[in-house]
């Protein structure tokens, strides 16, 4: 593992105290933490013990797992457990959750399902207090756990059952907490409880604190860490090991601080485009090739990963649509997935064998569509969901309403019933057949479901889902239980997985890029879909600068800004790029 071990880094490696490591992007915090883990493993662990590396995001887990594979031997990797807080808490709660008054058998309410259950509302919205009560009821009466309850329940369990806390701490004598500045209050309470028996090393960078809009997350977390742990503290500063030989980190720091030097930055460039849709989309497609060439020149070989990043999900949709034109450029999309994942249940249901009672099938499909609409939130979508749910009730009672949508659903199910006789047992092919029938329905709402299933492929969920569907086919010669197979694949994605390297081309919003790194980055700026300056962020736009700083520093070799020519950007316009 290559890292200059100066006196302050050696202090962290040698200390038996708790630690706090500060540093900017690419300063070597993760590498130092892996060296600390390696040192602790070499010192010897008791049977059943391991070093625990915790992060709040699956993206960070993927990055750490990739670094571990490069730098640790297989024997040492087996003694380093890399987990998200959610997956770590679930391992404990599914065994001991009954101590908090829940049934012994627990299940997870997936994030997109939860969004539908709460009608798309968010923290602070009217009705949130009622949802919190309903969330507790689901846990205590039905054993169904929403993700936002994991940390509070874990903190309660550790507070009430010290024996469980001590056993967990005994298993993990060293705990490394990545991006500690972003931990919520309950995640921090759990970490603090384990610190009574385990050594805890926190890694943090306040300049990357972009989730302080979430309850319990804020810059005061470092003060809590200092007060509770009294850690050995070192600051790696702005050392740049991610993009050495470039001025990417310097540019990002200047943007953060509002410093304008008046000259260009090495490996940072800008290309302007006219606002017309055709010109914009042409520039988006060209940007991939431009960045690929720039990375090849800097790296000496083709890029392994490129990210196209926008401020908002509307910008993400524009980027993805441009890449899918003409000769599609394969890519993966990361943004709010709730509607897409709930719509995917419609696709899974259409793969399943049809019921002898077609009215029952109509009602099920109507309910699935209503669930997807509820996840969108907003009065119009909630109203539509309520209407569609009412139609499902009438249909089950034998009185299906004579509406265009119900008729379209009925016709679709009849067509699907005929097509199922030709199922091949090849899930991707049969899935495409379902999308084809949805589009052929002639109904705009069913066509929107088909479009959502296209996005499911873009989200790169296909391989895991296909494996589960293939298993169903092998066992029973049909896709009976396809919805359960789909949910199992998505649960693995949302809770367990995250160790895959981010190779290829990725499209995401700025909050989704947190914790990731790519060979090249394209930053898309347009006045309405990706403005870089966030609402309610007055000059000098400190919040917007911090988010943009994070997006810029995701790049290893080159950053290209593609910029709408006719609109102004108060943050970037002063820079020479």
């Amino acid at each position: 593992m290559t890292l200059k071990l100066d006196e302050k880094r050696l202090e962290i490696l040698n200390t038996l105290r708790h630690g706090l490591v500060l540093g900017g992007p690419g300063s070597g915090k993760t590498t130092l933490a892996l060296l600390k883990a390696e040192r602790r493993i070499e010192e010897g662990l008791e049977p059943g013990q391991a070093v625990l590396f915790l992060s709040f995001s699956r993206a960070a887990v993927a990055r750490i797992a990739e670094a571990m594979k490069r730098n640790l031997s297989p024997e040492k990797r087996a003694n380093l457990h890399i987990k998200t807080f959610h997956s770590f808490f679930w391992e404990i709660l599914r065994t001991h959750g009954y101590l908090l008054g829940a049934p012994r058998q627990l299940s997870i309410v997936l994030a997109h399902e939860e969004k539908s259950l709460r009608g798309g509302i968010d923290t602070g919205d009217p009705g949130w207090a009622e949802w919190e009560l309903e969330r507790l009821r689901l846990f205590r009466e039905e054993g169904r756990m929403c993700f936002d309850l994991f940390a509070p329940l874990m903190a309660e369990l550790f507070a009430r059952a010290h024996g469980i806390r001590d056993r967990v701490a005994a298993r993990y004598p060293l705990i490394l907490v990545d991006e500690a500045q972003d931990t919520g209050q309950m995640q921090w309470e759990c970490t603090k409880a384990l610190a009574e028996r385990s050594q805890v090393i926190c890694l943090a960078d306040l300049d990357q604190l972009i989730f302080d809009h979430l309850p319990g997350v804020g810059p005061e977390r470092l003060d809590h860490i200092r007060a509770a742990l009294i850690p050995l503290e070192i600051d790696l500063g702005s050392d740049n090991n991610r993009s050495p030989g470039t001025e990417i980190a310097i540019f990002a720091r200047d943007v953060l601080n509002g410093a304008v030097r008046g000259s260009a930055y090495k490996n940072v460039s800008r290309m302007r485009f006219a606002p017309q849709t055709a010109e914009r989309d042409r520039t988006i497609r060209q940007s991939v090739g431009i960045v690929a060439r720039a990375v090849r020149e800097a790296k000496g070989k083709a890029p392994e990963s490129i990210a196209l990043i926008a401020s908002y999900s509307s910008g993400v949709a524009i980027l993805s649509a441009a890449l899918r034109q003409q000769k599609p450029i394969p890519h993966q999309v990361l943004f709010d997935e709730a509607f897409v994942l709930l719509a995917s249940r419609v696709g899974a249901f259409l793969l399943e064998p049809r019921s002898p009672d077609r009215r029952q099938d109509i009602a099920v499909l109507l309910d699935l569509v209503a669930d997807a609409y509820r996840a969108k939130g907003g009065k119009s979508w909630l109203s539509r969901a309520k209407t569609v749910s009412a139609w499902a009730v009438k249909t089950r009672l034998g009185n299906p309403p004579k509406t265009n949508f119900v008729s379209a659903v009925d016709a679709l199910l009849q067509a699907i019933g005929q097509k199922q006789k030709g199922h091949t047992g090849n899930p991707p092919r049969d899935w495409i057949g379902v999308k084809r029938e949805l589009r052929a329905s002639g109904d705009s709402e069913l066509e929107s479901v088909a479009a959502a299933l296209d996005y499911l492929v873009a989200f790169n969920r296909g391989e895991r889902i296909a494996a589960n569907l293939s298993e169903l086919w092998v066992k029973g010669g049909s896709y009976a239980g396809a919805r359960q197979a789909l949910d199992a694949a998505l649960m693995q994605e949302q809770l367990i997985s995250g160790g895959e390297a981010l190779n290829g081309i990725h499209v995401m919003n700025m909050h989704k890029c947190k914790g990731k790194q790519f060979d090249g980055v394209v930053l898309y700026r347009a006045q309405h879909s990706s403005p870089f300056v966030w609402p309610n962020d007055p000059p000098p736009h400190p919040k917007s600068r911090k988010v943009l700083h994070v997006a810029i520093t995701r790049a290893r070799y080159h950053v290209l800004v593609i910029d709408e020519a006719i609109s102004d950007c108060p943050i970037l316009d002063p820079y020479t790029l």
Side-chain angles (χ1 to χ4, degrees):
M1 206 178 300
T2 303
L3 185 69
K4 182 181 177 182
L5 293 177
D6 54 15
E7 185 177 343
K8 59 187 176 183
R9 288 175 170 85
L10 285 171
E11 279 190 280
I12 285 291
L13 291 183
N14 295 328
T15 189
L16 298 177
R17 295 168 51 191
H18 300 307
L20 174 59
V21 180
L22 304 175
S27 60
K29 298 188 298 295
T30 301
T31 304
L32 182 59
L34 289 174
L35 282 170
K36 179 69 175 177
E38 185 177 37
R39 174 75 63 88
R40 183 63 184 84
I41 292 167
E42 288 173 347
E43 289 171 353
L45 297 168
E46 298 293 329
Q49 284 188 328
V51 174
L52 178 63
F53 207 135
L54 278 178
S55 181
F56 81 104
S57 73
R58 289 180 290 123
V61 166
R63 174 174 49 80
I64 296 160
E66 185 180 358
M68 178 186 70
K69 291 176 183 177
R70 290 196 309 266
N71 296 303
L72 295 183
S73 67
E75 295 77 14
K76 290 175 181 174
R77 284 182 227 156
N79 290 308
L80 176 57
H81 296 177
I82 305 174
K83 303 177 185 294
T84 63
F85 277 97
H86 279 130
S87 62
F88 174 58
F89 293 160
W90 173 243
E91 286 182 359
I92 301 167
L93 288 169
R94 66 181 178 182
T95 304
H96 300 290
Y98 72 93
L99 295 174
L100 301 176
R104 284 187 175 270
Q105 189 70 32
L106 298 180
S107 62
I108 295 173
V109 178
L110 296 175
H112 52 279
E113 182 183 4
E114 178 188 346
K115 194 167 185 179
S116 176
L117 287 172
R118 68 175 192 250
I121 64 172
D122 291 314
T123 307
D125 291 346
W128 184 258
E130 290 80 0
W131 165 246
E132 288 186 315
L133 292 174
E134 172 62 12
R135 192 171 59 184
L136 281 172
R137 187 199 68 78
L138 287 171
F139 171 68
R140 289 173 177 156
E141 296 182 13
E142 300 180 23
R144 302 177 67 199
M145 290 182 58
C146 297
F147 278 97
D148 285 349
L149 270 187
F150 279 35
L153 292 172
M154 193 72 255
E156 182 181 354
L157 184 64
F158 279 166
R160 293 172 54 184
H162 289 178
I164 294 174
R165 177 205 64 188
D166 292 347
R167 285 199 296 275
V168 174
R171 186 183 184 196
Y172 297 114
L174 172 63
I175 300 174
L176 306 160
V177 181
D178 188 45
E179 299 186 342
Q181 77 278 353
D182 279 314
T183 51
Q185 183 59 35
M186 291 298 102
Q187 292 170 329
W188 163 239
E189 291 295 332
C190 295
T191 304
K192 186 170 62 172
L194 292 171
E196 295 184 28
R197 296 289 187 275
S198 301
Q199 182 185 19
V200 173
I201 306 292
C202 294
L203 316 176
D205 177 9
L206 278 181
D207 288 338
Q208 293 197 72
L209 178 67
I210 64 173
F211 291 108
D212 48 346
H213 61 285
L214 298 177
V217 179
E220 65 276 4
R221 180 68 64 237
L222 295 192
D223 294 331
H224 299 158
I225 291 171
R226 292 181 179 112
L229 304 186
I230 315 177
L232 169 66
E233 182 173 336
I234 69 167
D235 191 345
L236 304 180
S238 56
D239 292 356
N240 179 21
N241 299 305
R242 176 174 298 165
S243 53
T246 77
E247 292 186 315
I248 293 171
I250 296 172
F251 173 57
R253 179 66 57 175
D254 285 353
V255 168
L256 179 66
N257 296 326
V260 180
R261 76 179 193 184
S263 60
Y265 296 83
K266 185 179 179 182
N267 298 90
V268 180
S269 60
R270 172 161 48 193
M271 181 167 62
R272 297 188 184 275
F273 60 87
Q276 289 81 8
T277 300
E279 178 64 22
R280 179 200 66 196
D281 291 352
R282 186 182 306 113
T283 302
I284 291 169
R285 293 175 63 83
Q286 289 173 344
S287 71
V288 176
I290 292 170
V291 167
R293 285 193 295 272
V295 170
R296 184 186 289 274
E297 291 176 5
K299 185 180 181 182
K301 59 180 181 179
E304 296 176 11
S305 59
I306 293 174
L308 289 83
I309 302 173
S311 301
Y312 304 150
S313 290
S314 56
V316 171
I318 287 170
L319 290 169
S320 180
L323 295 180
R324 286 186 280 116
Q325 289 176 7
Q326 303 166 9
K327 294 182 180 179
I329 299 174
H331 62 284
Q332 300 172 30
V333 184
L334 291 82
F335 61 101
D336 184 6
E337 307 168 357
F339 173 74
V340 170
L341 297 183
L342 285 164
S344 70
R345 285 184 171 176
V346 175
F349 171 66
L350 293 175
L351 285 175
E352 295 175 356
R354 299 275 61 83
S355 163
D357 183 354
R358 196 165 73 248
R359 288 178 302 181
Q360 175 66 21
D361 280 352
I362 294 171
V364 170
L365 197 148
L366 291 173
D367 280 335
L368 292 172
V369 170
D371 287 343
Y373 288 162
R374 271 189 287 271
K376 289 193 172 190
K379 290 183 179 179
S380 60
W381 287 112
L382 292 176
S383 175
R384 183 60 175 168
K386 185 176 180 180
T387 298
V388 175
S389 289
W391 291 344
V393 171
K394 290 182 178 180
T395 301
R396 282 194 174 89
L397 295 174
N399 186 28
K402 293 181 173 62
T403 68
N404 290 337
F405 184 57
V406 174
S407 297
V409 167
D410 187 8
L412 170 69
L413 288 169
Q414 292 186 59
I416 287 286
Q418 293 298 316
K419 295 291 183 182
Q420 282 183 339
K421 298 174 183 178
H423 275 171
T424 64
N426 181 316
R429 186 179 301 170
D430 294 333
W431 188 264
I432 290 171
V434 164
K435 289 194 295 183
R436 188 181 298 117
E437 292 301 322
L438 283 163
R439 287 197 172 92
S441 68
D443 181 87
S444 59
E445 292 182 84
L446 294 177
E447 288 171 359
S448 73
V449 172
L453 300 187
D454 285 338
Y455 272 117
L456 191 72
V457 176
F459 290 159
N460 199 32
R461 301 299 192 270
E463 185 175 343
R464 191 170 287 118
I465 294 169
N468 286 11
L469 292 175
S470 291
E471 186 176 351
L472 288 180
W473 187 272
V474 169
K475 287 182 178 178
S478 76
Y479 293 116
R483 279 171 289 168
Q484 290 80 2
L486 172 74
D487 286 347
L490 296 178
M491 185 179 75
Q492 185 179 18
E493 169 67 22
Q494 292 185 13
L495 180 67
I496 300 169
S497 71
E500 302 90 348
L502 288 168
N503 293 328
I505 298 171
H506 300 260
V507 181
M508 67 198 72
N509 66 38
M510 288 186 176
H511 282 85
K512 286 287 186 181
C513 78
K514 183 74 159 55
K516 301 175 177 67
Q517 56 186 5
F518 304 90
D519 285 345
V521 165
V522 176
L523 297 175
Y524 165 68
R525 195 204 72 81
Q527 183 175 11
H528 300 294
S529 58
S530 184
F532 287 5
V533 177
W534 294 79
N536 304 316
D537 185 24
H541 314 296
K543 173 187 174 182
S544 302
R545 290 180 182 276
K546 184 174 289 189
V547 176
L548 185 56
H549 167 264
V550 170
I552 294 167
T553 56
R554 300 307 91 198
R556 297 187 184 100
Y557 297 99
H558 197 86
V559 173
L560 168 64
V561 180
I562 52 175
D563 194 356
E564 187 178 59
I566 64 166
S567 60
D568 298 328
C569 178
I571 294 179
L572 282 191
D573 283 353
Y575 292 92
T576 301
L577 301 176

